[in-house]
Amino acid sequence: MDLINVMRQGGGIMDEDSWNLRYSEALSGLASRIDAVEGIITAYNTNIDAIYRVRPSIVEDAVKPYSREVLDKIRDPPRRILDEKDLLAGLILCMREGLGEEWLILDPKVSDRISEYFIRDELRMGGQAGNMANALASLGVPLIIPHVVQLPEMQADLFIDGGRIQVPQASDGEIVLVPVRDAVRPDDEALIHHVFEFSKGGEFLMEGSPIEIPRDNRFIATYDDYNTRLIIDPSFRDGVEIAGRVDGAILAGYHFLREDCIERIEASLEQIREWRRLNPRLFIHLELGCTPNPRVRSEVVGKVFPLVDSVGLNEHELVEVMGVLKPSHRINLWDLRLGETAPTIYEAARILSCLTAVGRLTVHTKDYSLRIVRGRPGIQPERELHSLLSGSAVAASYAAHGRHMGLDAAASGLKGIPISPVGIREFNDLAESLPLKVREFFRANGYAKVGDAWLIFSVNRDVEDPATTTGLGDSMTAAMVLADASA
Ligand code: GLC
């Protein structure tokens, strides 16, 4: 029996070579199935990202006149922006902690004034729906239907061309699909979000104390009067038939819903139900996103979770969500002595998947992803692992190049991107924390059935000095859901 088979039956330990082998199996498996996919819907948020690569010295100068006030705000973050001080507080908080938050700008004048302080480096596609549409197009999906609430030419130009990205449009009393670049609505607004990307190692002084950036990440300041009210384009809403043309739908964009518009979730719930009625085999994934408002978070957990097959979130979002569950289940990962480690994250994810009965729950972190699958009798755990690895490979390729390179390039580029040593360490620690009878199997395979649910773990690639830190989660989700929907 060869080494790989021995490992799969529970005799070895997944080391760097075995992870590499699994990566290439995952990507070749996905490549062989793409032709069988008809299409994917991505909803709801599409916008334009203005990218600023932050130079720490500019932040140091900008904050000087109000550093005390900004420090107070950092201590008790408002998580919304009424003036420049709030903006700087959000940015410096994220830079200091290495966080990736998004705060809403409530006064459009603040948004307009940003260009007085910061010089924009580029304009890029933004929003989960927009980013995932481009990621899926580059992966070769034949039809992608994004929701684009405002479609001026500037927005349309940011979609990868090729005619495969199409949007519903009313024509002679019918709703038809039209290539996105032919569907421009010239009078629509350009919804520009401000994305501040910063790099690990940068340093600056604030009130005489040095601040060093611990990891690459970004802070997003958003003024957007459409996506934050979850306005649904009428043709996208009325064109229910689109659900019959696709295998999967990815939902996102609830995260920054304004509390005064919370009832608009209902229209989207109705849409999801209609899609299901029309296509009972539709695979629906919800990507949560950083959701500062606890009421919105509760609504999403209570109302959207029950309608979907799969939910994805990162470790910070997991903490946020645990905060709105029943008091007895609230856990704050940072309160636990273990801290933000794979065993703690697994424990929180296990509780969340149990309480919400979500079939697939995927938590992605920079160094690894873990997934819990329950109530799926025909589950093929190896396929689940392949989905996670496909997501991680495509995200690594996007991080390394700053643009979507397609599946072949993602596969060939892996050689130059090492497996994350932190991910391997966390994998071993998680294995150590599992019950004895499943531990060896998990170590040898990256998955195991623990109690009544499957646990699947993938180690990510470690991209040194990424070309971008925005949209990595979107690339990962797009490839992962494509793998899931094509299984
Ligand atoms: C949020 C932001 C958007 C950005 C995206 C990246 O949706 O609003 O501007 O492109 O996150 O994932």
Side-chain angles (χ1 to χ4, degrees):
M1 197 180 296
D2 61 60
L3 181 64
I4 297 160
N5 278 324
V6 173
M7 277 175 16
R8 284 185 186 162
Q9 296 191 8
I13 295 180
M14 292 275 280
D15 58 9
E16 221 177 299
D17 287 344
S18 24
W19 283 113
N20 275 325
L21 181 71
R22 295 299 175 92
Y23 264 100
S24 51
E25 287 173 355
L27 292 176
S28 53
L30 181 57
S32 71
R33 295 197 310 274
I34 281 184
D35 283 347
V37 175
E38 280 184 57
I40 309 260
I41 293 172
T42 63
Y44 285 92
N45 54 330
T46 297
N47 64 271
I48 299 166
D49 279 350
I51 309 283
Y52 308 85
R53 294 208 180 83
V54 179
R55 275 189 285 136
S57 59
I58 305 267
V59 179
E60 183 173 310
D61 290 345
V63 77
K64 250 181 211 148
Y66 354 79
S67 45
R68 271 176 194 280
E69 268 174 275
V70 172
L71 267 181
D72 285 345
K73 285 177 188 285
I74 295 176
R75 260 178 231 120
D76 185 14
R79 299 187 97 185
R80 50 95 190 105
I81 298 168
L82 290 175
D83 57 23
E84 279 75 8
K85 289 170 229 159
D86 291 336
L87 176 88
L88 287 166
L91 175 58
I92 295 172
L93 172 71
C94 286
M95 291 171 82
R96 193 183 73 184
E97 307 297 325
L99 296 173
E101 302 211 346
E102 175 171 19
W103 292 8
L104 291 190
I105 302 177
L106 302 185
D107 177 356
K109 287 194 220 92
V110 178
S111 177
D112 297 341
R113 285 200 298 266
I114 286 180
S115 57
E116 292 171 20
Y117 299 85
F118 294 96
I119 299 166
R120 187 169 82 199
D121 288 283
E122 61 173 311
L123 287 179
R124 277 207 306 243
M125 174 58 82
Q128 273 73 22
N131 289 337
M132 291 196 273
N134 275 352
L136 291 166
S138 80
L139 292 172
V141 174
L143 174 66
I144 303 115
I145 309 176
H147 174 244
V148 195
V149 69
Q150 291 288 284
L151 189 49
E153 191 147 0
M154 195 176 174
Q155 180 74 72
D157 284 350
L158 294 172
F159 281 100
I160 291 179
D161 202 4
R164 285 178 290 130
I165 303 183
Q166 303 192 1
V167 291
Q169 201 180 54
S171 161
D172 294 333
E174 263 185 77
I175 303 286
V176 292
L177 281 173
V178 177
V180 67
R181 293 205 178 184
D182 300 337
V184 169
R185 303 185 289 259
D187 296 334
D188 277 8
E189 260 181 58
L191 306 174
I192 300 184
H193 297 188
H194 305 277
V195 179
F196 300 89
E197 295 194 335
F198 46 84
S199 307
K200 182 177 165 178
E203 277 184 325
F204 60 101
L205 286 175
M206 192 171 171
E207 285 284 290
S209 308
I211 295 184
E212 186 179 339
I213 303 171
R215 61 181 271 206
D216 306 308
N217 217 326
R218 87 298 189 265
F219 171 66
I220 307 181
T222 295
Y223 179 78
D224 178 333
D225 204 26
Y226 290 83
N227 286 305
T228 60
R229 290 192 292 139
L230 199 56
I231 307 277
I232 304 178
D233 170 62
S235 304
F236 189 85
R237 186 196 55 220
D238 297 341
V240 189
E241 298 76 22
I242 58 173
R245 303 275 310 268
V246 297
D247 310 88
I250 311 180
L251 305 172
Y254 300 100
H255 64 285
F256 53 21
L257 179 61
R258 279 170 27 185
E259 189 170 345
D260 58 335
C261 297
I262 205 158
E263 79 292 342
R264 287 192 197 262
I265 282 196
E266 299 302 328
S268 112
L269 301 179
E270 191 42 39
Q271 175 160 57
I272 303 166
R273 289 192 200 101
E274 278 183 340
W275 287 347
R276 271 251 190 266
R277 248 174 263 135
L278 200 114
N279 180 359
R281 295 183 51 237
L282 190 66
F283 178 82
I284 306 182
H285 173 87
L286 164 70
E287 191 60 31
L288 198 64
C290 160
T291 314
N293 186 307
R295 261 197 77 205
V296 173
R297 226 181 291 149
S298 293
E299 281 286 290
V300 174
V301 174
K303 295 186 169 167
V304 188
F305 273 42
L307 298 184
V308 300
D309 303 291
S310 158
V311 170
L313 71 181
N314 70 26
E315 72 276 30
H316 305 293
E317 294 154 11
L318 178 65
V319 177
E320 281 185 344
V321 168
M322 297 309 285
V324 296
L325 295 176
K326 286 195 225 104
S328 58
H329 293 293
R330 281 186 194 160
I331 52 171
N332 182 336
L333 299 185
W334 285 278
D335 282 351
L336 294 180
R337 303 249 337 259
L338 277 170
E340 196 187 330
T341 62
T344 328
I345 288 173
Y346 168 54
E347 182 55 13
R350 202 185 55 73
I351 294 174
L352 182 62
S353 89
C354 221
L355 290 177
T356 57
V358 164
R360 273 190 183 87
L361 184 79
T362 307
V363 184
H364 37 85
T365 77
K366 179 176 167 290
D367 296 288
Y368 59 88
S369 299
L370 63 83
R371 173 178 275 192
I372 294 174
V373 184
R374 63 174 65 247
R376 293 279 176 283
I379 172 190
Q380 295 183 32
E382 186 125 8
R383 275 282 177 90
E384 306 285 332
L385 176 61
H386 285 174
S387 292
L388 298 185
L389 293 170
S390 301
S392 158
V394 169
S397 167
Y398 187 65
H401 300 281
R403 57 201 170 90
H404 301 290
M405 306 287 288
L407 204 51
D408 289 348
S412 58
L414 284 184
K415 280 186 221 91
I417 310 177
I419 302 277
S420 159
V422 176
I424 299 252
R425 189 194 68 209
E426 294 292 321
F427 173 62
N428 291 329
D429 287 354
L430 180 56
E432 214 36 55
S433 74
L434 295 178
L436 252 183
K437 57 178 195 292
V438 298
R439 194 178 293 167
E440 290 316 310
F441 189 88
F442 179 74
R443 272 209 183 104
N445 297 285
Y447 51 78
K449 190 158 188 203
V450 190
D452 58 352
W454 282 87
L455 161 65
I456 296 112
F457 189 99
S458 76
V459 178
N460 287 351
R461 319 294 297 205
D462 196 5
V463 181
E464 181 84 24
D465 205 9
T468 180
T469 49
T470 317
L472 305 185
D474 303 335
S475 304
M476 143 145 228
T477 303
M480 185 187 86
V481 175
L482 175 61
D484 287 332
S486 65

